[in-house]
Amino acid sequence: MMSKYIKIRMRPTGIGIGGAFSVPASFKLDNVNTPFKNVDVKIDTGCSVSTIPLAKFKAHGLNFDTLKRDDITNNIDYITSYGVETGGKNHKVPKTYDEKMVCEALKFRHDIYDFEINGLPISHSYIYVNYNRKGNILIGMDILKDWDIHIRTIDTGETIFLGCPKEQINDAYLQELEDTFHIASELNTKNIR
């Protein structure tokens, strides 16, 4: 079903503090024949560059070493990303083919097609792919920077993420902003005061 915006309730952590915004996504990648349907992604405003860790999809029968080798030999653009778990340590930048093959921090830029998050079509045309990691697919600020986003804890105690790409803002989204967060009412109240 096609959506006009994304509304997600934060899923609490098992430790009782914080949480995450998880939602299904579907997409195709230019270097993988298998489409990905309704896979779990996390909306992560602390993530700079959106990433798909392909190693989590072992069941798809992908040969990750071959895909990584092809990217290295075809000089596909890549960046290194070590994540917060490395604590800001300095890392040696891989230069040789062998160093790149064993480096788990490389993520390669690939075209993404038929990209939908929770049924909302996303026009972003590329994403980064890591072949070694098995963590979460993260939708980060390289995509989210072009969205209108609101996050707030509402009267029920639920924390809600409500967002829409700026080029797709529509009446249904604006109405949901009012229904969920009462934004227009708050603005009117401030203007009256």
Side-chain angles (χ1 to χ4, degrees), residues 19-126:
F21 294 108
S22 297
V23 66
S26 298
F27 54 87
K28 294 177 189 171
L29 296 171
D30 66 354
N31 67 330
V32 176
N33 291 329
T34 306
F36 296 85
K37 296 284 186 192
N38 295 317
V39 296
D40 192 46
V41 300
K42 285 191 175 180
I43 304 292
D44 187 349
T45 60
C47 171
S48 299
V49 179
S50 301
T51 305
I52 299 172
L54 274 185
K56 78 180 292 158
F57 296 104
K58 278 191 169 188
H60 280 71
L62 301 172
N63 185 325
F64 305 116
D65 286 340
T66 300
L67 291 168
K68 188 172 184 178
R69 180 198 69 220
D70 290 348
D71 280 0
I72 294 169
T73 57
N74 292 322
N75 292 315
I76 300 297
D77 287 339
Y78 69 88
I79 57 177
T80 55
S81 174
Y82 292 92
V84 296
E85 71 277 1
T86 61
K89 296 179 197 170
N90 288 329
H91 298 275
K92 182 181 173 190
V93 176
K95 291 185 172 75
T96 68
Y97 170 84
D98 290 336
E99 289 173 346
K100 291 175 184 176
M101 280 301 292
V102 298
C103 181
E104 295 185 358
L106 296 185
K107 50 187 175 185
F108 297 85
R109 182 179 164 146
H110 281 279
D111 292 340
I112 191 167
Y113 305 96
D114 301 331
F115 189 15
E116 292 182 356
I117 299 175
N118 205 31
L120 178 70
I122 306 299
S123 62
H124 204 74
S125 62
Y126 67 90

